[in-house]
Amino acid sequence: MGTQEIIEEIKKLINTKGYIYALCMIIFEDFHVNPEKLHEINHREKLSVNEAALLLGFLIQNKLDFTMPESLQDLTQMKKMTYELLEKLHQSFMKNFVEKLEKEIKKTHKKENYRADQKEFFGKGDMLVEPIFYSGTGVYDFQHLEFLERKYKYDKKWLTEEKNFDLIETQKIVSQIKKILQKKSEIVEMGLKEEMIAFMKEKNPDEDWEKKIEEVFTKERIEWLQYGPLFYDFEKNGEFDQNLFFRNLIDLFTIKKSDFNTDVNIDSFLHNFSITPERDLNTQFKTIGDYNIMNSHPIIKIDSERYFVPTTFMLCQAVYESPFYWMIKDESYKDQVAKNRGIVGEEIAYDFLSRVFGINRTFKSIKIETKKGHDDTDIDVFCVLGSKALCVQVKSKSLTLLSRQGDDVKLQKDFQSAVQDAYNQGLISRQKIFEREARLIDKKTGNDIILSEEIDEIYLMCITTENYPTLAHQARVMLDKKDDEPFSIVLTVFDLELLAHYLNDPYEFLYYIRQRTSLMDLDCTPKTVIIC
């Protein structure tokens, strides 16, 4: 079965009576986990954020159907079919890879053509659709909120006047939504089966309690035990009510306007990030890589008071990414947006790296000049530690929709803008510094930067302010470079924040980099570095 045929089967399943309840259970079980048991989770068995967005994107193409299923067993079957179809969908993307690999194995490859062959095989669009879609999120949801004000600090006026979008207020609203939904989720006891087994083993460790419990309870009954509190109407002496379960299940994901105080403009927030499901909505979303309105409007309107929030991660991501797309639609402002993004990127990188290397050893916006009045290039952030240096170039580029669909030309263009241009700029800076003839000038003050030692080793770092799926993989296989040139450290600002937090000593920072490197040529001077 081909990819599109499987997608049609998924759509058919989503239109089954009562499917929204099965989807709620899947999302709840796969995205609400006990942090203490993270090491026990097999994430391959759970939905990714992108897979959840896929299902939701098809769900909103019609009005929400809250018709209850015939039985609880029907829900169990729909859940099972969802996982099976998503696994088939994943395998359909792998088919092309396997076929291409089988052909490559039969070919003879010369060592000197290794990088060219690697790029030809792994760097093509048909090989990147699958890893782009199934890659991890690359960021924690709270990082989106933490970076929000930094990213749009120079765009506050436009956002307030044009979209009634206040950065601080938005952070408060999203945080409150997370608290509301987290509080509701606490009534459902997850992992009941595992807790029962652990308790029994304490009493009698020699008994096979896994088998015993399976004999007493069917798998389906154990699955429903964890949702027990949703079945009972505690206002009616704990009366069992199956219909109540369905209402409570939807409520686990529901916020109300009345949940928010009048001091926040919840109406504007919901206007910017919610959508009303209806027939022919989101019809441009047909397959992986297409624009999915759920990614920009991850809140689903149920009625004038209630709103359905499937995953708070998608909401945090939309809040972080959407303002940029709003602004570039304004022809009179889009140039200012680009300028502001460049400034902000430098500031964020400088902030994190100066915490590691110190203000006196970290420089921002450096001009390199070998002839007076002639700029050879510039460095966004430059860090020095004795005779070692870190040359950082910052870009603000994300993957476009065509790249996500596997368009070779667009993929190369996006990579060029996000990594290759920054890398080339870093190479020029590195070469000029090694030639010992260049002046390093602080653009802001116009003063020369005087180094206490001659630099004999330079690490290159490329940073993007956007989350960029498969960034490290693309950098390894698509980067155009000569054999004696170094690779670059390639990070998002989210990665840099974590790296700077855990390695906040400059010697540890560079030691970590050194440990993660491979020398391309041991006789090469200066040393070359590979980090991806």
Side-chain angles (χ1 to χ4, degrees), residues 422-526:
Y423 174 76
N424 294 342
Q425 198 172 351
L427 276 183
I428 295 172
S429 302
R430 177 177 179 270
Q431 179 185 352
K432 295 298 180 183
I433 294 172
F434 282 145
E435 289 174 354
R436 323 292 187 201
E437 296 178 0
R439 293 174 60 203
L440 275 66
I441 305 170
D442 187 322
K443 284 185 179 181
K444 185 176 181 179
T445 64
N447 298 328
D448 284 16
I449 296 173
I450 308 301
L451 304 177
S452 60
E453 297 183 42
E454 286 191 352
I455 303 298
D456 62 16
E457 187 170 9
I458 298 177
Y459 300 92
L460 303 182
M461 177 181 283
C462 301
I463 296 175
T464 174
T465 59
E466 308 303 310
N467 188 30
Y468 199 101
T470 68
L471 179 62
H473 171 68
Q474 290 188 46
R476 182 173 294 278
V477 302
M478 296 175 66
L479 192 68
D480 285 334
K481 58 176 288 301
K482 297 177 181 177
D483 289 342
D484 60 348
E485 292 174 341
F487 274 82
S488 171
I489 308 165
V490 182
L491 302 170
T492 67
V493 290
F494 309 114
D495 299 324
L496 181 61
E497 179 189 30
L498 297 176
L499 189 63
H501 175 75
Y502 289 107
L503 298 174
N504 53 20
D505 176 87
Y507 296 96
E508 286 185 353
F509 194 93
L510 290 184
Y511 179 76
Y512 171 81
I513 291 176
R514 192 180 287 272
Q515 294 304 305
R516 295 291 302 272
T517 64
S518 300
L519 299 180
M520 296 184 67
D521 184 350
L522 294 175
D523 297 324
C524 178
T525 304

Side-chain angles (χ1 to χ4, degrees), residues 163-219:
K163 299 293 289 188
N164 209 357
F165 180 83
D166 182 87
L167 300 173
I168 302 300
E169 183 178 77
T170 298
Q171 289 173 317
K172 291 179 180 178
I173 291 174
V174 176
S175 295
Q176 187 172 349
I177 290 174
K178 290 179 66 177
K179 288 180 181 178
I180 291 170
L181 299 183
Q182 179 61 38
K183 185 68 175 177
K184 289 183 176 184
S185 72
E186 291 174 0
I187 69 170
V188 178
E189 184 178 2
M190 300 298 293
L192 182 61
K193 175 186 173 182
E194 289 74 16
E195 291 178 13
M196 289 174 63
I197 292 172
F199 176 78
M200 295 298 186
K201 281 187 175 180
E202 281 185 16
K203 301 297 182 182
N204 188 350
D206 298 325
E207 188 71 62
D208 185 355
W209 289 108
E210 178 87 30
K211 183 178 179 181
K212 283 279 186 182
I213 289 178
E214 290 290 354
E215 290 174 353
V216 177
F217 298 101
T218 65
K219 182 178 180 182

Side-chain angles (χ1 to χ4, degrees), residues 136-388:
T137 58
V139 56
Y140 295 106
D141 61 353
F142 63 83
Q143 287 182 293
H144 283 130
L145 298 183
E146 288 178 353
F147 278 85
L148 183 64
E149 189 176 9
R150 292 180 182 184
K151 183 177 182 181
Y152 298 110
K153 61 187 292 186
Y154 299 116
D155 303 304
K156 288 182 180 180
K157 186 173 183 294
W158 189 97
L159 291 170
T160 301
E161 293 178 354
E162 301 296 329
K163 299 293 289 188
N164 209 357
F165 180 83
D166 182 87
L167 300 173
I168 302 300
E169 183 178 77
T170 298
Q171 289 173 317
K172 291 179 180 178
I173 291 174
V174 176
S175 295
Q176 187 172 349
I177 290 174
K178 290 179 66 177
K179 288 180 181 178
I180 291 170
L181 299 183
Q182 179 61 38
K183 185 68 175 177
K184 289 183 176 184
S185 72
E186 291 174 0
I187 69 170
V188 178
E189 184 178 2
M190 300 298 293
L192 182 61
K193 175 186 173 182
E194 289 74 16
E195 291 178 13
M196 289 174 63
I197 292 172
F199 176 78
M200 295 298 186
K201 281 187 175 180
E202 281 185 16
K203 301 297 182 182
N204 188 350
D206 298 325
E207 188 71 62
D208 185 355
W209 289 108
E210 178 87 30
K211 183 178 179 181
K212 283 279 186 182
I213 289 178
E214 290 290 354
E215 290 174 353
V216 177
F217 298 101
T218 65
K219 182 178 180 182
E220 288 77 10
R221 288 182 64 187
I222 293 175
E223 178 182 21
W224 289 105
L225 282 174
Q226 63 189 349
Y227 292 103
L230 302 185
F231 283 93
Y232 295 94
D233 189 340
F234 295 104
E235 294 181 359
K236 296 182 179 180
N237 299 318
E239 181 180 327
F240 180 88
D241 186 343
Q242 183 169 303
N243 293 337
L244 180 65
F245 162 75
F246 295 111
R247 295 196 297 273
N248 283 338
L249 184 60
I250 296 296
D251 189 60
L252 288 179
F253 300 88
T254 303
I255 60 171
K256 299 177 182 178
K257 282 187 180 181
S258 57
D259 292 331
F260 301 86
N261 297 327
T262 56
D263 60 341
V264 297
N265 195 341
I266 189 63
D267 286 323
S268 291
F269 177 83
L270 292 171
H271 175 74
N272 286 328
F273 296 103
S274 69
I275 199 73
T276 303
E278 58 186 2
R279 188 172 181 81
D280 297 330
L281 176 70
N282 207 29
T283 53
Q284 76 288 337
F285 179 59
K286 294 181 173 62
T287 188
I288 288 174
D290 290 341
Y291 169 63
N292 182 358
I293 200 171
M294 273 302 300
N295 289 324
S296 56
H297 296 74
I299 300 176
I300 301 174
K301 185 176 181 179
I302 298 176
D303 53 41
S304 60
E305 173 66 10
R306 296 181 301 153
Y307 290 80
F308 185 75
V309 186
T311 77
T312 54
F313 182 92
M314 289 176 63
L315 177 58
C316 293
Q317 188 174 41
V319 162
Y320 181 79
E321 295 179 351
S322 293
F324 167 72
Y325 295 102
W326 299 338
M327 291 185 289
I328 60 172
K329 290 179 181 178
D330 185 341
E331 290 292 331
S332 64
Y333 193 72
K334 66 179 185 180
D335 290 341
Q336 187 62 44
V337 173
K339 181 180 178 181
N340 291 346
R341 294 224 309 173
I343 295 171
V344 165
E346 283 187 12
E347 289 180 348
I348 293 175
Y350 175 82
D351 180 35
F352 289 136
L353 291 170
S354 62
R355 296 180 195 179
V356 176
F357 290 91
I359 294 177
N360 294 332
R361 293 189 294 240
T362 310
F363 308 92
K364 180 177 64 175
S365 193
I366 305 303
K367 179 173 63 175
I368 294 182
E369 183 181 280
T370 51
K371 293 181 181 179
K372 191 170 183 179
H374 178 74
D375 296 350
D376 293 278
T377 186
D378 57 59
I379 304 173
D380 291 332
V381 181
F382 190 62
C383 307
V384 180
L385 189 64
S387 62
K388 316 303 177 188

